[in-house]
Amino acid sequence: MAPPEPGPGQVLVRMEGSGVCASSLPLWEGREWFTYPQPPGAPGHEGWGRVAAIGEGVAGFSTGDRVAALTYRAHAEYDVADAGSVVKLPEALADTAVLGEPLGCATNIFQRAEIRAGQTVAIVGIGFLGALLTQLCKHAGARVIALSRRPFSLEFAKQAGADHTLLMDDHWKILEKVKALTDGKWCQRVIECTGLEWPLNLAGEMTAERGRLVIAGYHQDGMRQVNVQLWNWRGLDVINAHERDPQMYVDGMKRAVQWLTEGVMDPRPLYTHTLPLDRLGEALELTRTRPDGFMKALVTT
């Protein structure tokens, strides 16, 4: 296809690459509620690249600027973005893949969690997001307990600064360990990053009275049964830390770029698999099967 033309208020981005997101898996698996074929480049939404052309009325960008962009067709060589959804990248990040949307998502979740120094924070599920949140919580001065079903991902959690790591294998054993680590007081903050029912309920049981349970996982496959009696009795704040306002995403992306520049978070060790764009199918399959050693796949042009 010919590259798209930017309209008024838009920029054309020559993509350098895009992250591959687990939220794309239902589309990849062929769920019947989607329309096929999707537009070229869909459902890529974690792209970065350089401005290739500028539409009428756009100020603040020049051809050649390196940017992260909130678009939804980023699995392509070119994509068009509204200028308000594009974040310019500083020279300090010139050689860094900057996945604006998921990095911004991590900063937004962290903001909603209201982490404070001295708190004990449990992070349930150590994938790309959980590892980033571990870094951010440690930088804020919290004590972090990281939990994962994958032993190797706990090593990533340790590298990110986790104080304690627990294998998610047995519900009651985990609770006994967390109870012992917190002297029976449980955790002031618990961030659930799996999108699954059992870890969500486990997260609730680990949250202290008047603590905050933050739901960061994407629960896309239907209803959940949760222990509202427990949540009610302990007086928990339950936060669904997802944003739907595009401006909130862009604000998070800008914050992420700042924090990357300052060294507050470093996602580079988590980019474990990089494939060319024409092997996107393999990257999605890696994201689905999550073999040992896998944290995050990138596809590059």
Side-chain angles (χ1 to χ4, degrees):
M1 296 182 63
E5 295 288 337
Q10 295 182 324
V11 297
L12 176 67
V13 180
R14 171 66 168 91
M15 309 305 298
E16 293 180 6
S18 175
V20 179
C21 182
S23 70
S24 300
L25 293 179
L27 180 69
W28 168 243
E29 293 167 349
R31 303 289 176 86
E32 60 185 14
W33 54 83
F34 294 104
T35 300
Y36 298 94
Q38 289 278 300
H45 55 274
E46 300 183 355
W48 75 96
R50 292 188 180 274
V51 174
I54 298 172
E56 181 182 349
V58 174
F61 293 98
S62 302
T63 302
D65 283 346
R66 197 159 182 268
V67 297
L70 179 61
T71 72
Y72 298 95
R73 301 161 302 276
H75 293 326
E77 292 180 336
Y78 291 90
D79 199 2
V80 169
D82 292 334
S85 298
V86 178
V87 176
K88 192 181 298 186
L89 302 178
E91 186 62 31
L93 302 179
D95 299 320
T96 303
V98 181
L99 285 60
E101 191 273 347
L103 297 175
C105 185
T107 71
N108 284 337
I109 291 166
F110 177 76
Q111 295 287 98
R112 295 285 297 276
E114 296 187 357
I115 305 298
R116 301 288 182 263
Q119 291 177 336
T120 297
V121 181
I123 299 179
V124 183
I126 303 296
F128 181 71
L129 179 60
L132 286 176
L133 288 167
T134 299
Q135 292 181 5
L136 294 176
C137 291
K138 284 305 300 177
H139 186 268
R143 174 194 186 204
V144 175
I145 303 172
L147 300 94
S148 177
R149 294 179 298 178
R150 301 185 297 165
F152 82 86
S153 73
L154 294 177
E155 294 302 316
F156 281 91
K158 291 177 183 177
Q159 294 172 21
D163 298 277
H164 308 280
T165 58
L166 299 177
L167 189 65
M168 283 172 53
D169 52 2
D170 181 277
H171 189 97
W172 302 111
K173 287 182 181 178
I174 294 167
L175 291 179
E176 287 301 314
K177 291 176 181 177
V178 173
K179 187 176 182 179
L181 287 171
T182 60
D183 295 324
K185 297 177 182 178
W186 304 109
C187 306
Q188 289 92 353
R189 299 288 186 269
V190 180
I191 308 176
E192 180 272 317
C193 299
T194 69
L196 301 171
E197 184 173 288
W198 169 55
L200 176 58
N201 278 299
L202 180 67
E205 293 195 54
M206 292 190 296
T207 309
E209 290 183 8
R210 298 200 70 187
R212 179 165 292 203
L213 170 59
V214 181
I215 302 173
Y218 286 95
H219 293 262
Q220 299 185 93
D221 57 346
M223 302 286 286
R224 295 288 182 258
Q225 289 187 328
V226 296
N227 189 348
V228 177
Q229 180 187 32
L230 175 73
W231 293 7
N232 183 264
W233 181 255
R234 291 191 184 176
L236 305 185
D237 290 336
V238 181
I239 304 296
N240 285 278
H242 297 282
E243 306 296 348
R244 290 297 171 262
D245 180 352
Q247 187 58 51
M248 294 298 295
Y249 274 109
V250 175
D251 290 347
M253 289 165 60
K254 292 178 179 178
R255 188 183 304 113
V257 169
Q258 178 183 344
W259 287 358
L260 289 173
T261 305
E262 295 171 352
V264 174
M265 65 178 179
D266 181 9
R268 291 173 297 178
L270 307 176
Y271 301 147
T272 54
H273 293 69
T274 302
L275 293 85
L277 179 60
D278 60 5
R279 293 172 63 188
L280 172 61
E282 293 177 50
L284 282 159
E285 193 63 13
L286 284 167
T287 304
R288 185 182 72 83
T289 57
R290 302 169 68 83
D292 280 357
F294 176 86
M295 289 294 279
K296 183 74 170 178
L298 312 181
V299 289
T300 58
T301 59

